[in-house]
Amino acid sequence: MSKPVSLNVADQKLDLTVKYGTIGPSVVDIAKLYAQTGMFTYDPGFTSTASCESKITYIDGDEGVLLYRGYPIDQLAEHGDFLETCYLLLYGELPTPAQRTDFNYRVTRHTMVHEQMMRFFQGFRRDAHPMSVMVASVGALSAFYHDSTDIADENQRMIASMRMIAKFPTLAAMAYKYSIGQPFVYPQNDLDYTSNFLRMCFAVPCEEYKVNPVLSRALDRIFILHADHEQNASTSTVRLAGSSGANPFACIAAGVACLWGPAHGGANEAALKMLQEIGTVDKIPHYIARAKDKNDPFRLMGFGHRVYKNYDPRAKIMQKTTHEVLNELGIKDDPLLDVAMELERIALSDSYFIEKKLYPNIDFYSGITLKAMGFPTSMFTALFALARTVGWIAQWKEMIEDPGQKIGRPRQLYTGAPQRDYIPTHMR
Ligand code: SDX
């Protein structure tokens, strides 16, 4: 639904259109603004800009609501599993039992990577950050799968989507195994998606590996929480890369690169390092003071969010999962958890954080949980990327299949030197 509006800008009366969504803020369509006024809008960081129309995920930052295709995240995390969430994000509806069986089969049949990918890993130092390996190896997939890079072909788009969702865990497990000098473990297709990933990470050839069902369920739920999140920085990167017609593997590699930043998906690694640096509860006031000090670049990692100005609904579920995992592993008094709980309590009662609406986000607790499961800190963002791959793919497909889609090409406010003539070297 839409309605015409007029806007006065610099003595000009503009006839624009307001478009209404199903829920959430409406938008003013400014596509004709430059043609009508010769002016651009200006919104670095896109705090007030809708970059696209989407039917996939909706966030209400004030109410702390997150919906995947209309279903609340807490219900999906409670009752569903990650592959069901993948189907929902890709197709828009929860699968019937038959659709679920077919989808599982299709994903499972793509879990292996080309054998030559192993040689690709040998080129990295063992201490390479897993995200550097993931950016490279995901991009390298486009060198192996030329039969699914024609984005104009619907079948090729779907095969590329299946390959990406199925192979990301295999590559992430290979990156981990390579970093610790252990042999790669092949996927085992009679295991569910997340159990298969745990086995590829932690099994060794010399003994039987039994998946702990509580840990597998917890990690599967963590993947659900991280699967998609509207037009966040890495998803916007994937959409912009895809708008040029780049192949899906290259677009996902661009998303992996963007997610790596500590302000985004790298925050789970940074948050755990921050908790380790704080070390004990008595040091918390010092770090709170640093976070509030304008002259100190320190920020409380795992706190704050561009959209959530209320508690991140994922963080609540994450906190519950953390306690489940620590109990299952018999970890009674994890000092990091003590620091995290006390930091959260103090921050949520501190006027600075209340005024700026800074609540714990999903990254605040995920690190404690993943560390307890046995993952090194350096693998945390790779696990985030594993889960977000389906969101990136679903958003990429939605963009490619939008008949009005065109290459993204923002403009700028130029404040550099006006035109001037070249000065010969001897006259400078
Ligand atoms: C993710 O976009 C998504 O959806 C991302 C994500 C997803 O699923 O894709 O949810 C995943 O990236 C979660 C966020 C993880 N990042 C962190 O935890 C890093 C720490 N958080 C901050 O860097 C920050 O909160 C951001 C980047 C998350 C949001 O930054 P904004 O929206 O640009 O807000 P801002 O930087 O303008 O901050 C507003 C104010 C500032 O103070 P003033 O300049 O107004 O005086 O709040 C302050 C900031 O200094 N502030 C913080 C703070 N975060 C913001 N102060 C202390 N500690 C913090 N963590």
Side-chain angles (χ1 to χ4, degrees):
M1 188 181 88
S2 61
K3 80 173 186 183
V5 287
S6 60
L7 200 58
N8 289 317
V9 177
D11 304 333
Q12 292 191 58
K13 182 173 167 298
L14 301 179
D15 299 322
L16 300 172
T17 306
V18 169
K19 289 183 168 180
Y20 297 88
T22 322
I23 43 180
S26 50
V27 299
V28 179
D29 183 339
I30 55 159
K32 298 192 180 65
L33 181 80
Y34 179 55
Q36 290 185 22
T37 67
M39 287 195 287
F40 301 133
T41 58
Y42 183 67
D43 182 17
F46 311 121
T47 50
S48 303
T49 295
S51 60
C52 64
E53 179 179 324
S54 180
K55 298 176 172 32
I56 299 172
T57 296
Y58 175 73
I59 302 172
D60 183 329
D62 294 327
E63 296 303 316
V65 168
L66 169 58
L67 308 175
Y68 289 166
R69 300 286 190 179
Y71 293 98
I73 189 69
D74 54 322
Q75 293 181 26
L76 292 169
E78 186 68 34
H79 304 299
D81 64 37
F82 180 64
L83 268 198
E84 178 186 73
T85 296
C86 289
Y87 184 97
L88 174 65
L89 290 170
L90 285 170
Y91 290 99
E93 297 298 335
L94 290 168
T96 62
Q99 288 166 334
R100 178 63 202 268
T101 305
D102 168 62
F103 186 71
N104 276 24
Y105 178 83
R106 286 190 287 139
V107 171
T108 306
R109 287 298 167 289
H110 284 289
T111 49
M112 286 175 68
V113 293
H114 194 291
E115 196 69 2
Q116 280 179 223
M117 280 299 284
M118 290 191 183
R119 277 191 241 145
F120 197 86
F121 281 74
Q122 310 305 341
F124 287 98
R125 286 169 43 132
R126 293 281 180 179
D127 62 353
H129 193 289
M131 285 298 276
S132 61
V133 177
M134 294 314 295
V135 172
S137 53
V138 168
L141 287 177
S142 45
F144 291 89
Y145 297 109
H146 294 294
D147 64 337
S148 63
T149 52
D150 175 2
I151 60 164
D153 179 336
E154 186 181 3
N155 284 330
Q156 291 198 31
R157 288 201 298 271
M158 192 39 87
I159 291 172
S161 304
M162 292 297 109
R163 280 176 165 152
M164 206 62 261
I165 293 165
K167 295 180 196 304
F168 203 106
T170 308
L171 292 173
M174 289 170 78
Y176 172 54
K177 283 302 201 188
Y178 185 74
S179 74
I180 57 176
Q182 287 188 359
F184 298 137
V185 175
Y186 285 100
Q188 190 170 302
N189 289 342
D190 60 355
L191 293 174
D192 66 69
Y193 186 87
T194 303
S195 300
N196 199 7
F197 174 66
L198 283 172
R199 183 178 170 280
M200 288 191 286
C201 287
F202 298 120
V204 288
C206 1
E207 57 193 46
E208 193 59 33
Y209 176 78
K210 274 191 75 44
V211 177
N212 178 325
V214 173
L215 300 190
S216 180
R217 177 76 191 111
L219 186 58
D220 195 80
R221 190 184 304 141
I222 291 172
F223 289 162
I224 292 173
L225 298 179
H226 287 81
D228 194 46
H229 216 235
E230 282 192 8
Q231 306 311 318
N232 58 84
S234 52
T235 298
S236 300
T237 301
V238 171
R239 278 182 172 259
L240 197 56
S243 73
S244 75
N247 75 71
F249 304 107
C251 295
I252 300 303
V256 175
C258 178
L259 187 76
W260 193 359
H264 189 14
N268 51 20
E269 179 176 354
L272 192 89
K273 284 181 177 160
M274 176 191 73
L275 293 175
Q276 288 168 329
E277 185 186 330
I278 294 175
T280 51
V281 167
D282 61 312
K283 299 263 186 25
I284 291 175
H286 167 68
Y287 283 88
I288 294 258
R290 283 192 58 195
K292 291 153 72 171
D293 178 356
K294 279 272 151 269
N295 302 317
D296 188 333
F298 173 79
R299 287 196 165 180
L300 285 182
M301 301 316 281
F303 274 80
H305 199 277
R306 171 62 58 76
V307 178
Y308 289 123
K309 298 308 173 191
N310 192 325
Y311 210 90
D312 181 338
R314 303 169 300 175
K316 282 198 184 97
I317 304 166
M318 197 64 244
Q319 189 190 48
K320 182 169 153 273
T321 305
T322 302
H323 287 295
E324 265 176 34
V325 167
L326 295 182
N327 290 340
E328 171 64 18
L329 295 171
I331 302 174
K332 294 282 175 276
D333 49 358
D334 181 346
L336 287 183
L337 185 62
D338 297 341
V339 171
M341 302 284 281
E342 182 60 9
L343 177 58
E344 180 185 36
R345 188 191 66 76
I346 296 176
L348 293 186
S349 56
D350 183 291
S351 57
Y352 175 89
F353 293 90
I354 293 168
E355 275 152 36
K356 294 194 186 293
K357 300 178 185 289
L358 299 175
Y359 293 90
N361 57 50
I362 188 165
D363 295 302
F364 186 61
Y365 283 104
S366 54
I368 297 171
T369 315
L370 298 174
K371 177 176 176 289
M373 286 183 171
F375 291 104
T377 313
S378 60
M379 274 296 289
F380 292 178
T381 309
L383 297 178
F384 190 154
L386 186 164
R388 186 53 57 87
T389 293
V390 64
W392 289 330
I393 283 281
Q395 299 270 354
W396 167 80
K397 270 174 89 285
E398 182 177 67
M399 178 206 59
I400 294 290
E401 291 160 8
D402 173 357
Q405 186 268 327
K406 57 174 74 170
I407 190 167
R409 205 279 186 215
R411 302 300 301 274
Q412 62 180 10
L413 173 68
Y414 179 69
T415 55
Q419 183 167 330
R420 50 187 171 164
D421 294 330
Y422 184 80
I423 303 169
T425 312
H426 69 278
M427 293 175 66
R428 289 175 202 159

